Amino acid sequence: MEAVVFNGKELKLKYEKAYPMPKIENDTDVIVRVEYSGICGTDLHIIQGEFPASKDPLPLGHEFSGVVHEAGNKSIFKKGQKVVVDPNCSCNLCDFCRKGKYQYCYTAGINSTVGIWRDGGWAQYCKVPQTQVYALPDGITTEQAGLCEPYSCVAHGFDRASPLLVGEKILIVGAGIIGNLWVTTLHHHGHREVTVSEMNKSRLEIVKKLDTGFRLVSPDVLAQEKELFDVIIDCTGVGKVMEISFNYLKPGGKYVLFGCCPPTHQSLVNPFQIYDKELTLIGVKINPFSFPNAIGWLKAMGSRYVDYEKLGVKTYKLSEYQKALDDLKVGAISKALFKMV
């Protein structure tokens, strides 16, 4: 089968036409025929050697949807079902997992992710345990479900940051795909006092297509205005950006650190400011048990929000992986997905 394979030792990607086809090993295994598979910002960090991943060659891709190709004898899934895959799971044994917080697990969670530590969705087929497979309800296409995993992370972030009260002034920093998904989420939930800050003008043009009426500005405008916000959602994954934008919080404000920074990034934050303003810093890690929420959001949002053209999403063949990466780097698009249908 076709696959885009990452070699963790050499930090190289390679398109392969004859990567081994997965086989059912356990009675509850499911082999998904992948239809849409996203390139995440975490994938870019992995490729650059900035985020831990398997050293053994494997297809990356932890955001994907498709159709059941084959299922084990004891699986609840049937051939032909439309599905989406949650790449993360629980070990079910440690204290964290038994308390429903597998994002903290030392062996599961982000440490066993499909597409990071196990063969992922940058391939025509991918084998996963049925516990990580969700059937798609009527009204959601596999195209829309290609964004389910990032929406599930936003859903977890939304829960962590709640309550987010309608009428509060909110700043979204960074208008890549995650910033755009936060834009759609907040607008769908009734928020209107939202500002989006992005230095890449072409990305701001993409946000306009979502027709939310949110204020769109560049970082230099924020610096000149010195306006303060109740909530700041950082979607950049850049330590220096946090250092700057943290100063834009009102007393009692919340800073949601959503973008995944490389481990080497540092930020200088004034602890007196945290004390004096009673500020809250909120980290968000993966998507523990938030896939059902994300699926519900996809169905409720529909094409009003979950539309590739409006979100700045472009699809590519697996063989076009380098073009996809190049387009992402220059900011011509907000997100790239491999399309295999």
Side-chain angles (χ1 to χ4, degrees):
M1 66 173 178
E2 295 178 54
V4 177
V5 179
F6 175 66
N7 186 317
K9 293 178 182 177
E10 300 178 2
L11 300 182
K12 290 183 179 179
L13 283 177
K14 182 182 179 182
Y15 167 70
E16 295 188 13
K17 290 185 177 180
Y19 191 78
M21 180 79 179
K23 297 179 180 179
I24 296 291
E25 296 179 11
N26 301 303
D27 289 338
T28 53
D29 283 344
V30 176
I31 295 177
V32 177
R33 176 168 58 81
V34 181
E35 294 193 351
Y36 292 88
S37 185
I39 299 177
C40 174
T42 302
D43 295 318
L44 301 181
H45 288 315
I46 289 171
I47 294 166
Q48 294 163 6
E50 298 173 335
F51 194 88
S54 173
K55 298 299 182 184
D56 296 327
L58 52 71
L60 295 179
H62 57 274
E63 309 172 352
F64 60 99
S65 61
V67 174
V68 175
H69 172 72
E70 187 180 355
N73 294 331
K74 294 183 180 179
S75 174
I76 64 171
F77 294 95
K78 305 298 180 184
K79 185 173 182 178
Q81 277 186 286
K82 292 188 303 179
V83 295
V84 66
V85 174
D86 182 349
N88 302 306
C89 65
S90 165
C91 80
N92 296 319
L93 294 173
C94 73
D95 249 9
F96 294 129
C97 289
R98 289 184 171 184
K99 291 176 180 176
K101 299 178 180 180
Y102 68 72
Q103 69 270 37
Y104 307 141
C105 182
Y106 295 123
T107 57
I110 196 69
N111 302 301
S112 64
T113 301
V114 171
I116 296 180
W117 299 101
R118 295 180 280 160
D119 283 16
W122 289 6
Q124 290 178 299
Y125 298 87
C126 182
K127 181 188 71 177
V128 289
Q130 71 167 5
T131 52
Q132 292 177 244
V133 181
Y134 289 80
L136 291 175
D138 293 339
I140 300 178
T141 65
T142 54
E143 180 179 65
Q144 292 170 325
L147 296 173
C148 193
E149 194 277 343
Y151 262 123
S152 74
C153 294
V154 173
H156 177 48
F158 192 89
D159 289 343
R160 291 270 293 145
S162 291
L164 294 172
L165 304 179
V166 172
E168 288 184 317
K169 297 186 69 173
I170 299 177
L171 171 65
I172 297 173
V173 185
I177 186 60
I178 289 298
N180 292 354
L181 297 190
W182 270 102
V183 165
T184 60
T185 296
L186 292 173
H187 192 268
H188 180 68
H189 282 82
H191 292 271
R192 297 296 182 267
E193 297 296 320
V194 179
T195 298
V196 181
S197 172
E198 169 60 53
M199 63 188 302
N200 188 317
K201 292 182 178 179
S202 62
R203 285 187 167 182
L204 287 180
E205 290 299 316
I206 291 172
V207 181
K208 287 182 181 179
K209 295 180 181 179
L210 292 168
D211 191 28
T212 59
F214 291 172
R215 194 168 73 109
L216 311 179
V217 300
S218 57
D220 59 308
V221 172
L222 290 180
Q224 292 169 5
E225 292 179 344
K226 297 182 179 178
E227 186 174 355
L228 300 182
F229 299 87
D230 297 292
V231 181
I232 297 177
I233 302 166
D234 189 332
C235 301
T236 66
V238 179
K240 191 65 178 179
V241 171
M242 177 194 171
E243 186 173 307
I244 296 170
S245 55
F246 197 79
N247 296 306
Y248 302 150
L249 281 175
K250 287 182 179 180
K254 292 183 282 193
Y255 195 98
V256 182
L257 188 59
F258 192 89
C260 181
C261 292
T264 55
H265 281 210
Q266 300 290 329
S267 293
L268 293 175
V269 177
N270 188 333
F272 179 82
Q273 190 179 20
I274 297 173
Y275 148 78
D276 189 47
K277 290 185 175 182
E278 288 195 338
L279 302 179
T280 302
L281 175 59
I282 300 170
V284 181
K285 188 177 184 182
I286 62 172
N287 58 341
F289 303 110
S290 55
F291 246 71
N293 284 353
I295 291 172
W297 285 9
L298 288 176
K299 189 166 184 177
M301 288 181 171
S303 58
R304 163 64 181 92
Y305 298 102
V306 192
D307 178 286
Y308 281 15
E309 173 64 24
K310 294 176 185 176
L311 289 166
V313 176
K314 187 175 178 180
T315 59
Y316 301 80
K317 298 177 182 178
L318 286 169
S319 58
E320 298 174 321
Y321 75 91
Q322 191 57 57
K323 171 65 174 169
L325 294 175
D326 291 343
D327 287 349
L328 282 171
K329 287 177 182 177
V330 299
I333 56 176
S334 65
K335 188 172 185 65
L337 279 97
F338 294 117
K339 180 180 178 180
M340 288 159 266
V341 288

